[in-house]
mmCIF file of all heavy atoms in Angstrom:
data_model
loop_
_atom_site.group_PDB
_atom_site.id
_atom_site.type_symbol
_atom_site.label_atom_id
_atom_site.label_comp_id
_atom_site.label_asym_id
_atom_site.label_seq_id
_atom_site.Cartn_x
_atom_site.Cartn_y
_atom_site.Cartn_z
ATOM 1 N N THR A 137 -27.695 -11.968 62.175
ATOM 2 C CA THR A 137 -27.563 -13.380 62.408
ATOM 3 C C THR A 137 -26.748 -14.023 61.305
ATOM 4 O O THR A 137 -26.432 -13.416 60.221
ATOM 5 C CB THR A 137 -28.921 -14.014 62.429
ATOM 6 O OG1 THR A 137 -29.522 -13.957 61.102
ATOM 7 C CG2 THR A 137 -29.844 -13.405 63.424
ATOM 8 N N GLU A 138 -26.316 -15.331 61.534
ATOM 9 C CA GLU A 138 -25.669 -16.032 60.543
ATOM 10 C C GLU A 138 -26.405 -16.146 59.195
ATOM 11 O O GLU A 138 -25.885 -15.963 58.118
ATOM 12 C CB GLU A 138 -25.288 -17.480 61.026
ATOM 13 C CG GLU A 138 -24.477 -18.269 60.102
ATOM 14 C CD GLU A 138 -24.149 -19.625 60.647
ATOM 15 O OE1 GLU A 138 -24.256 -19.822 61.831
ATOM 16 O OE2 GLU A 138 -23.731 -20.522 59.858
ATOM 17 N N GLU A 139 -27.698 -16.361 59.318
ATOM 18 C CA GLU A 139 -28.553 -16.461 58.172
ATOM 19 C C GLU A 139 -28.698 -15.103 57.402
ATOM 20 O O GLU A 139 -28.589 -15.111 56.213
ATOM 21 C CB GLU A 139 -29.934 -16.970 58.539
ATOM 22 C CG GLU A 139 -30.932 -17.109 57.414
ATOM 23 C CD GLU A 139 -30.596 -18.198 56.381
ATOM 24 O OE1 GLU A 139 -29.636 -18.965 56.713
ATOM 25 O OE2 GLU A 139 -31.217 -18.211 55.351
ATOM 26 N N SER A 140 -28.905 -14.027 58.154
ATOM 27 C CA SER A 140 -29.074 -12.765 57.458
ATOM 28 C C SER A 140 -27.771 -12.298 56.789
ATOM 29 O O SER A 140 -27.757 -11.734 55.711
ATOM 30 C CB SER A 140 -29.553 -11.615 58.466
ATOM 31 O OG SER A 140 -28.494 -11.283 59.388
ATOM 32 N N HIS A 141 -26.702 -12.680 57.493
ATOM 33 C CA HIS A 141 -25.281 -12.351 56.842
ATOM 34 C C HIS A 141 -25.170 -13.118 55.567
ATOM 35 O O HIS A 141 -24.676 -12.560 54.566
ATOM 36 C CB HIS A 141 -24.225 -12.735 57.860
ATOM 37 C CG HIS A 141 -22.876 -12.580 57.326
ATOM 38 N ND1 HIS A 141 -22.089 -11.437 57.609
ATOM 39 C CD2 HIS A 141 -22.061 -13.354 56.548
ATOM 40 C CE1 HIS A 141 -20.899 -11.460 56.993
ATOM 41 N NE2 HIS A 141 -20.821 -12.622 56.411
ATOM 42 N N ARG A 142 -25.469 -14.396 55.601
ATOM 43 C CA ARG A 142 -25.351 -15.151 54.358
ATOM 44 C C ARG A 142 -26.172 -14.703 53.262
ATOM 45 O O ARG A 142 -25.754 -14.604 52.100
ATOM 46 C CB ARG A 142 -25.718 -16.630 54.685
ATOM 47 C CG ARG A 142 -25.571 -17.607 53.482
ATOM 48 C CD ARG A 142 -26.137 -18.983 53.814
ATOM 49 N NE ARG A 142 -27.599 -18.947 53.993
ATOM 50 C CZ ARG A 142 -28.439 -18.908 52.918
ATOM 51 N NH1 ARG A 142 -27.974 -18.850 51.647
ATOM 52 N NH2 ARG A 142 -29.738 -18.875 53.078
ATOM 53 N N ARG A 143 -27.459 -14.281 53.518
ATOM 54 C CA ARG A 143 -28.355 -13.865 52.509
ATOM 55 C C ARG A 143 -27.846 -12.484 51.912
ATOM 56 O O ARG A 143 -27.961 -12.281 50.692
ATOM 57 C CB ARG A 143 -29.749 -13.778 53.054
ATOM 58 C CG ARG A 143 -30.436 -15.050 53.219
ATOM 59 C CD ARG A 143 -31.777 -14.884 53.938
ATOM 60 N NE ARG A 143 -32.516 -16.197 54.069
ATOM 61 C CZ ARG A 143 -33.520 -16.597 53.263
ATOM 62 N NH1 ARG A 143 -33.867 -15.862 52.233
ATOM 63 N NH2 ARG A 143 -34.086 -17.815 53.509
ATOM 64 N N MET A 144 -27.376 -11.624 52.754
ATOM 65 C CA MET A 144 -26.939 -10.324 52.324
ATOM 66 C C MET A 144 -25.647 -10.451 51.466
ATOM 67 O O MET A 144 -25.570 -9.801 50.392
ATOM 68 C CB MET A 144 -26.684 -9.405 53.511
ATOM 69 C CG MET A 144 -26.512 -7.997 53.094
ATOM 70 S SD MET A 144 -28.081 -7.213 52.496
ATOM 71 C CE MET A 144 -27.427 -6.188 51.190
ATOM 72 N N GLN A 145 -24.766 -11.357 51.830
ATOM 73 C CA GLN A 145 -23.634 -11.537 51.052
ATOM 74 C C GLN A 145 -23.992 -12.157 49.635
ATOM 75 O O GLN A 145 -23.449 -11.749 48.596
ATOM 76 C CB GLN A 145 -22.670 -12.525 51.719
ATOM 77 C CG GLN A 145 -21.303 -12.758 51.077
ATOM 78 C CD GLN A 145 -20.544 -11.384 50.927
ATOM 79 O OE1 GLN A 145 -20.149 -10.860 51.937
ATOM 80 N NE2 GLN A 145 -20.345 -10.908 49.627
ATOM 81 N N THR A 146 -24.889 -13.096 49.709
ATOM 82 C CA THR A 146 -25.352 -13.729 48.415
ATOM 83 C C THR A 146 -26.027 -12.720 47.457
ATOM 84 O O THR A 146 -25.715 -12.681 46.284
ATOM 85 C CB THR A 146 -26.400 -14.866 48.666
ATOM 86 O OG1 THR A 146 -25.782 -15.849 49.485
ATOM 87 C CG2 THR A 146 -26.956 -15.463 47.418
ATOM 88 N N ALA A 147 -26.759 -11.733 48.058
ATOM 89 C CA ALA A 147 -27.374 -10.748 47.188
ATOM 90 C C ALA A 147 -26.332 -9.812 46.634
ATOM 91 O O ALA A 147 -26.461 -9.415 45.479
ATOM 92 C CB ALA A 147 -28.319 -9.979 48.070
ATOM 93 N N LEU A 148 -25.351 -9.334 47.451
ATOM 94 C CA LEU A 148 -24.350 -8.477 46.924
ATOM 95 C C LEU A 148 -23.570 -9.141 45.756
ATOM 96 O O LEU A 148 -23.277 -8.440 44.755
ATOM 97 C CB LEU A 148 -23.408 -8.090 48.045
ATOM 98 C CG LEU A 148 -23.887 -7.233 49.177
ATOM 99 C CD1 LEU A 148 -22.942 -7.101 50.304
ATOM 100 C CD2 LEU A 148 -24.225 -5.825 48.655
ATOM 101 N N ASP A 149 -23.232 -10.403 45.940
ATOM 102 C CA ASP A 149 -22.512 -11.140 44.890
ATOM 103 C C ASP A 149 -23.355 -11.250 43.625
ATOM 104 O O ASP A 149 -22.847 -11.068 42.534
ATOM 105 C CB ASP A 149 -22.131 -12.509 45.424
ATOM 106 C CG ASP A 149 -21.068 -12.455 46.480
ATOM 107 O OD1 ASP A 149 -20.517 -11.372 46.671
ATOM 108 O OD2 ASP A 149 -20.945 -13.480 47.197
ATOM 109 N N ALA A 150 -24.640 -11.562 43.743
ATOM 110 C CA ALA A 150 -25.491 -11.849 42.570
ATOM 111 C C ALA A 150 -25.711 -10.547 41.761
ATOM 112 O O ALA A 150 -25.827 -10.680 40.512
ATOM 113 C CB ALA A 150 -26.757 -12.454 43.071
ATOM 114 N N LEU A 151 -25.824 -9.449 42.366
ATOM 115 C CA LEU A 151 -26.194 -8.205 41.699
ATOM 116 C C LEU A 151 -24.947 -7.366 41.293
ATOM 117 O O LEU A 151 -25.124 -6.378 40.475
ATOM 118 C CB LEU A 151 -27.153 -7.352 42.546
ATOM 119 C CG LEU A 151 -28.444 -7.962 42.822
ATOM 120 C CD1 LEU A 151 -29.246 -7.155 43.791
ATOM 121 C CD2 LEU A 151 -29.249 -8.121 41.536
ATOM 122 N N TRP A 152 -23.783 -7.672 41.712
ATOM 123 C CA TRP A 152 -22.503 -6.967 41.384
ATOM 124 C C TRP A 152 -22.339 -6.865 39.880
ATOM 125 O O TRP A 152 -21.910 -5.787 39.375
ATOM 126 C CB TRP A 152 -21.393 -7.642 41.996
ATOM 127 C CG TRP A 152 -20.046 -6.943 41.793
ATOM 128 C CD1 TRP A 152 -19.066 -7.333 40.975
ATOM 129 C CD2 TRP A 152 -19.641 -5.731 42.376
ATOM 130 N NE1 TRP A 152 -17.969 -6.458 41.061
ATOM 131 C CE2 TRP A 152 -18.345 -5.454 41.838
ATOM 132 C CE3 TRP A 152 -20.191 -4.771 43.203
ATOM 133 C CZ2 TRP A 152 -17.581 -4.321 42.188
ATOM 134 C CZ3 TRP A 152 -19.500 -3.677 43.629
ATOM 135 C CH2 TRP A 152 -18.211 -3.424 43.018
ATOM 136 N N ARG A 153 -22.609 -7.889 39.106
ATOM 137 C CA ARG A 153 -22.407 -7.938 37.662
ATOM 138 C C ARG A 153 -23.165 -6.797 36.920
ATOM 139 O O ARG A 153 -22.855 -6.456 35.766
ATOM 140 C CB ARG A 153 -22.665 -9.261 37.107
ATOM 141 C CG ARG A 153 -24.148 -9.656 37.154
ATOM 142 C CD ARG A 153 -24.305 -11.171 36.768
ATOM 143 N NE ARG A 153 -23.914 -11.359 35.441
ATOM 144 C CZ ARG A 153 -24.710 -11.389 34.334
ATOM 145 N NH1 ARG A 153 -26.017 -11.253 34.535
ATOM 146 N NH2 ARG A 153 -24.274 -11.606 33.184
ATOM 147 N N TYR A 154 -24.193 -6.268 37.566
ATOM 148 C CA TYR A 154 -25.057 -5.345 36.881
ATOM 149 C C TYR A 154 -24.626 -3.889 37.202
ATOM 150 O O TYR A 154 -25.178 -2.886 36.639
ATOM 151 C CB TYR A 154 -26.566 -5.507 37.315
ATOM 152 C CG TYR A 154 -27.078 -6.801 36.885
ATOM 153 C CD1 TYR A 154 -27.320 -7.795 37.836
ATOM 154 C CD2 TYR A 154 -27.345 -7.095 35.548
ATOM 155 C CE1 TYR A 154 -27.838 -9.065 37.477
ATOM 156 C CE2 TYR A 154 -27.960 -8.349 35.157
ATOM 157 C CZ TYR A 154 -28.142 -9.268 36.141
ATOM 158 O OH TYR A 154 -28.665 -10.478 35.772
ATOM 159 N N THR A 155 -23.657 -3.690 38.091
ATOM 160 C CA THR A 155 -23.340 -2.314 38.532
ATOM 161 C C THR A 155 -22.452 -1.578 37.532
ATOM 162 O O THR A 155 -22.379 -0.363 37.544
ATOM 163 C CB THR A 155 -22.702 -2.368 39.853
ATOM 164 O OG1 THR A 155 -21.470 -3.185 39.894
ATOM 165 C CG2 THR A 155 -23.546 -2.941 40.912
#
Side-chain angles (χ1 to χ4, degrees):
T137 66
E138 181 179 344
E139 178 66 10
S140 71
H141 178 95
R142 181 188 67 79
R143 286 175 179 257
M144 194 67 218
Q145 185 63 64
T146 297
L148 290 171
D149 292 346
L151 294 173
W152 180 252
R153 65 189 299 261
Y154 298 106
T155 58

